[in-house]
Amino acid sequence: MSRTFDVGIESLAHQPVEAQHHDAPSPAAEPIRSASPPVVNGKSFYIETFGCQMNVHDSEKVAGVLLARGYRAAANPAQADLMLYNTCSIREKAAQKVFSRLGEWRGETQKIIGVLGCVAQQEGEEIFERAPWVSLVCGSASYRKLPDLVAELESGGRRVMALDLDTDETFETEITRRDNPIRAYITIIEGCDYACAYCVVPHTRGPERSRASDSVIAEARRLAEAGYTEIQLLGQTVNSYRDPSPRSLNFVELLQAVAAVPGIRRVRFTTSHPNDFHREIVDAIDATPAVCDHVHLPVQSGSTRILRAMRRTYTRDEYLEKISWIRGAKRAISITSDVIVGFPGETDEDFADTVSLLDAVGYDGVFSFIYSPRPNTSAASMPGAIPEGEKSRRLAFLQERQRQIQIARNAALVGGEFEVLVDARHAARGQWAGRTTSNRMVNFVSPRENLLGEYLQVRVTRAGPNSLVGEHVD
Ligand code: 5AD
Ligand code: SF4
């Protein structure tokens, strides 16, 4: 079985790193595990992934399932017998992109075209209507059915679909085909029980389901044995984790248990919901060196009035109190966030509250979005839509303000030395790239070679809004 990293998974969510083609002995790709060697069926697959890290990781699991069934990874879509799109519907543009991709296969008869993920769940049978050349539709809450669906297609089935949402199971597999050789994702909780007024996720990913802690810890051990040193725990609301097993670990206990796995040097977690963000998480970061000093805590709006309309379950002041716990930690913890501008009814004052919140927190990074009305969400029928031009103006204003904040925060790091986990090589620039524990990207030069997967000390010599530049110091 091939152990190179050029598996047929393409993602729009993360930069492909050169490490994927590098012949580094460590960290290693996770071995494919299956009870018996897969039967080679001569068919190949290609997965294109849109959206969040959860989707990226779901594609890794789907790839594992297909490899175990004897499929090969195709080098490109044209060569694949099975072309899968793992889709995102969080904003309208993402969903449109999927249909434009599907349009490229109009009339295709040689390949099996499949749609997975959030658009599959949202549109269901409608996909067969809009793109009759699609023969597989499977929502993310139904992935455990995927092997059966593929089997049905293999035995001549023309159209297969799975859209169950009322499942209390998670999609667990021991045959995940990890695409990133440096950072390994582990899903600890799927779905979401919140009901934010703008968000399709509870509809597309179903109710919250946590995974048993023993299973998570066993996976972390396997990853460490395979050579990984960094693990990222994933969930739409990762810190709402509740162990369904008799051990009944809470999120902090699970975080610490994963951090205690021999060989694991960094543990990250995303995304945290402010409502379930307790002081114990900050204490755990302080007390546990392997837990990275970064918290992604989406605020969405700085206006309590809008937060209420969004059903975010916290006020501006309550959010800021949580930020004060993080700022009070012994370690300098970086904080990033998600913000939506132009939610229905957002006034100039509400928007000004969001801008002032950026100043008050001093975020190290913000993903900001124009509000996009989504089907099956309560906000879609709210009055007070903000004109598109005004939404764009607010977004540009907010992004410029945040850019200035990042320039100032990063400039304060010049001259400092930080431990960097090397994850890419920019050959043309003669630079390496890696991340600090606070998740800042650092591009740096080094006289040494073969640095992928290594932990190095790097002195920062320059800073931009989105990354740092430095040099390797021994
Ligand atoms: N419109 C714009 N942004 C949205 N997000 C979620 N739903 C919408 C929507 N309807 C953003 C939120 C969330 C991030 C993943 O996407 O900020 O945290
Ligand atoms: Fe969507 Fe809110 Fe759930 Fe996050 S917490 S996934 S924004 S509904």
Side-chain angles (χ1 to χ4, degrees):
M1 177 92 31
S2 161
R3 294 266 308 266
T4 55
F5 295 105
D6 50 348
V7 66
I9 300 177
E10 182 184 294
S11 165
L12 300 182
H14 66 189
Q15 296 289 313
V17 292
E18 207 177 314
Q20 290 177 328
H21 306 279
H22 190 85
D23 200 16
S26 173
E30 192 190 5
I32 310 284
R33 284 160 199 272
S34 62
S36 52
V39 183
V40 175
N41 69 8
K43 294 189 183 143
S44 64
F45 69 95
Y46 194 94
I47 308 177
E48 185 175 354
T49 308
F50 300 84
C52 63
Q53 281 148 327
M54 294 283 284
N55 266 12
V56 171
H57 186 40
D58 282 345
S59 289
E60 295 178 332
K61 296 188 209 178
V62 170
V65 167
L66 292 171
L67 287 162
R69 291 189 73 84
Y71 284 77
R72 296 174 286 112
N76 55 55
Q79 288 174 10
D81 301 298
L82 175 59
M83 178 69 212
L84 296 175
Y85 291 94
N86 188 2
T87 62
C88 170
S89 63
I90 197 102
R91 283 167 290 276
E92 196 184 349
K93 257 193 200 145
Q96 277 168 354
K97 200 180 266 174
V98 174
F99 281 103
S100 87
R101 280 287 204 286
L102 289 178
E104 292 168 16
W105 298 109
R106 182 178 300 277
E108 171 66 40
T109 53
Q110 300 304 306
K111 279 183 210 309
I112 292 175
I113 313 279
V115 181
L116 311 177
C118 293
V119 173
Q121 188 64 44
Q122 190 175 291
E123 304 293 331
E125 220 152 350
E126 180 74 23
I127 296 177
F128 295 135
E129 305 279 315
R130 283 179 71 174
W133 51 94
V134 169
S135 45
L136 172 114
V137 169
C138 181
S140 29
S142 304
Y143 284 156
R144 71 207 156 81
K145 292 230 175 99
L146 205 65
D148 295 341
L149 296 180
V150 174
E152 214 178 314
L153 283 176
E154 283 166 353
S155 57
R158 208 171 75 77
R159 276 187 177 163
V160 294
M161 181 165 83
L163 298 174
D164 309 336
L165 268 185
D166 55 345
T167 171
D168 55 6
E169 289 182 49
T170 51
F171 178 40
E172 283 181 48
T173 166
E174 290 206 348
I175 48 180
T176 302
R177 176 57 162 94
R178 287 191 162 76
D179 196 32
N180 182 333
I182 308 288
R183 177 183 290 182
Y185 297 122
I186 302 183
T187 309
I188 64 165
I189 175 169
E190 291 178 19
C192 178
D193 276 353
Y194 285 95
C196 301
Y198 50 82
C199 185
V200 283
V201 167
H203 176 72
T204 58
R205 287 190 166 266
E208 181 185 296
R209 287 100 62 206
S210 289
R211 185 172 158 187
S213 56
D214 282 350
S215 154
V216 172
I217 295 162
E219 186 168 2
R221 288 217 178 90
R222 289 203 303 271
L223 289 167
E225 281 162 18
Y228 281 100
T229 60
E230 178 170 319
I231 283 177
Q232 180 155 349
L233 304 180
L234 292 180
Q236 302 293 341
T237 56
V238 74
N239 56 330
S240 314
Y241 176 82
R242 269 178 305 190
D243 187 0
S245 76
R247 277 184 85 182
S248 152
L249 299 191
N250 63 29
F251 172 66
V252 163
E253 289 164 335
L254 181 70
L255 188 61
Q256 290 181 312
V258 171
V261 168
I264 296 305
R265 292 180 62 169
R266 287 186 173 184
V267 185
R268 303 183 182 279
F269 53 97
T270 199
T271 293
S272 296
H273 193 293
N275 197 53
D276 298 318
F277 193 88
H278 306 299
R279 206 188 272 269
E280 288 72 26
I281 299 177
V282 180
D283 295 342
I285 296 175
D286 259 344
T288 323
V291 177
C292 289
D293 44 21
H294 172 213
V295 173
H296 183 63
L297 200 62
V299 68
Q300 312 298 0
S301 169
S303 152
T304 295
R305 204 181 69 82
I306 293 294
L307 287 171
R308 195 170 301 130
M310 287 177 164
R311 305 220 199 111
R312 281 297 284 180
T313 72
Y314 52 85
T315 64
R316 174 190 173 99
D317 287 346
E318 284 164 352
Y319 181 88
L320 285 173
E321 190 190 1
K322 290 167 199 253
I323 295 294
S324 74
W325 303 338
I326 302 173
R327 291 288 179 232
K330 297 188 205 85
R331 289 162 71 179
I333 299 173
S334 82
I335 309 175
T336 55
S337 196
D338 294 347
V339 168
I340 296 176
V341 300
F343 188 78
E346 185 187 73
T347 62
D348 287 343
E349 291 73 44
D350 293 321
F351 176 64
D353 283 348
T354 299
V355 175
S356 77
L357 185 111
L358 298 187
D359 294 333
V361 175
Y363 288 114
D364 294 289
V366 170
F367 298 98
S368 46
F369 309 101
I370 284 179
Y371 167 70
S372 164
R374 307 306 295 128
N376 307 302
T377 61
S378 55
S381 53
M382 282 182 187
I386 309 297
E388 291 305 316
E390 178 57 18
K391 286 198 238 180
S392 302
R393 192 196 66 74
R394 288 182 189 176
L395 184 74
F397 186 91
L398 182 137
Q399 289 184 335
E400 179 51 28
R401 181 67 143 256
Q402 180 57 29
R403 207 176 83 88
Q404 296 304 328
I405 292 170
Q406 285 171 216
I407 286 173
R409 290 188 69 78
N410 286 347
L413 303 175
V414 173
E417 282 181 22
F418 299 91
E419 184 189 65
V420 166
L421 168 56
V422 185
D423 60 19
R425 165 99 179 127
H426 301 304
R429 286 190 261 146
Q431 280 180 333
W432 297 90
R435 300 250 169 196
T436 63
T437 153
S438 61
N439 213 30
R440 287 191 177 84
M441 200 205 298
V442 188
N443 296 302
F444 65 97
V445 288
S446 170
R448 282 182 44 202
E449 305 212 0
N450 297 330
L451 298 180
L452 290 173
E454 298 227 2
Y455 289 82
L456 304 175
Q457 283 298 116
V458 172
R459 184 184 304 118
V460 175
T461 52
R462 273 189 295 134
N466 298 310
S467 62
L468 307 171
V469 178
E471 55 198 17
H472 175 192
V473 287
D474 261 328

